[in-house]
Amino acid sequence: MPMIYHFHPLTGELSGGGEARLDPVEQKPLVPANATLIAPPEAQNGYARIFGGNAWAQVEDHRGKVLWTAEGEAQEITILGPLPAGLLSEKPVLPAYPDLQKALAAMLGWINEFASTLTAAMPQAEVRSLPVKAAAARALLAGEATVGQTEMLQAEADLTGEALADLAAEIAANADCDDLVNAKISGLRRSLKSQLQAAADPPAYETILEAGKQQALAMAADLGIAAPS
């Protein structure tokens, strides 16, 4: 009994085979649509057998494989044929910061978090009043405080039980420390920004930012500040 071989109506891929039915009158094999009496070649690993109308051909079959774009996007192969050009067999290792703007944003985000540790335990209203209090304390210590400045400091001293001069000295010392920290933070930010802008390629951004983070952590340790991890 002759064999008949079926193929996909769109791709031509071999889908099965079996014994052909015979015409009851002429005793010839009946060949339905999308089928042929031509025997396909032996199966070959990595290839699909495709019927092209008059003959079978072996076509590369990479279906199910996952390849990657240069940007790290996965692409599953779903059609027959050679692999598309430009795809990678392994997921590429991409830089943490693909462009300057993302590197600058990451740097500012970490530095802002670092700076916020200075006032994290204080109410926002008190944080906003710090420059005013510092100016009043320095004026009092210099003998130049206005009545309003003196009354503001005295109101706090009355609650803490401190002498007015002692309170002013502490506020001024804390303000000096804050000014020093802010100056260091500003210097670090400007230094990192310059380094990032001068960097030759994205992989350098991560190295620069990591070094800057370690520098900030060392600075925080020297000043007795608990910096973000």
Side-chain angles (χ1 to χ4, degrees):
M1 185 71 68
M3 295 290 293
I4 193 169
Y5 304 94
H6 301 276
F7 52 84
H8 192 279
L10 298 179
T11 66
E13 182 179 6
L14 177 67
S15 59
E19 291 184 351
R21 294 174 56 195
L22 298 179
D23 182 286
V25 177
E26 298 183 4
Q27 293 298 300
K28 294 180 179 180
L30 297 172
V31 181
N34 307 315
T36 180
L37 296 172
I38 302 173
E42 291 293 327
Q44 185 177 346
N45 189 37
Y47 288 81
R49 291 169 288 182
I50 305 298
F51 191 70
N54 296 308
W56 292 92
Q58 299 274 18
V59 177
E60 291 181 48
D61 184 3
H62 301 284
R63 290 173 296 182
K65 287 184 179 178
V66 176
L67 300 180
W68 306 86
T69 66
E71 293 74 30
E73 181 181 354
Q75 299 281 342
E76 183 176 352
I77 305 302
T78 59
I79 61 175
L80 295 168
L83 290 174
L87 295 180
L88 306 173
S89 59
E90 294 184 2
K91 184 176 182 179
V93 178
L94 301 176
Y97 311 105
D99 56 56
L100 176 61
Q101 294 307 311
K102 287 184 173 58
L104 289 172
M107 179 267 290
L108 289 175
W110 194 90
I111 286 183
N112 286 338
E113 186 180 0
F114 171 67
S116 71
T117 61
L118 297 174
T119 56
M122 299 176 62
Q124 287 303 305
E126 188 173 350
V127 171
R128 289 192 293 270
S129 72
L130 289 178
V132 176
K133 287 176 59 177
R138 287 168 177 152
L140 182 72
L141 294 173
E144 301 172 352
T146 65
V147 173
Q149 288 175 321
T150 302
E151 289 178 347
M152 178 182 65
L153 295 174
Q154 187 63 60
E156 183 170 338
D158 289 344
L159 292 173
T160 63
E162 297 170 273
L164 189 59
D166 292 340
L167 173 63
E170 181 178 352
I171 292 174
N174 289 338
D176 289 342
C177 181
D178 289 347
D179 290 344
L180 175 61
V181 171
N182 289 332
K184 287 181 176 291
I185 291 174
S186 177
L188 179 62
R189 177 187 59 78
R190 295 176 61 194
S191 173
L192 291 175
K193 181 178 180 180
S194 296
Q195 293 179 60
L196 290 171
Q197 289 175 330
D201 50 52
Y205 297 151
E206 190 170 2
T207 300
I208 292 169
L209 292 181
E210 182 58 29
K213 184 174 182 179
Q214 295 306 315
Q215 185 179 353
L217 290 173
M219 181 181 75
D222 290 342
L223 296 171
I225 301 170
S229 58

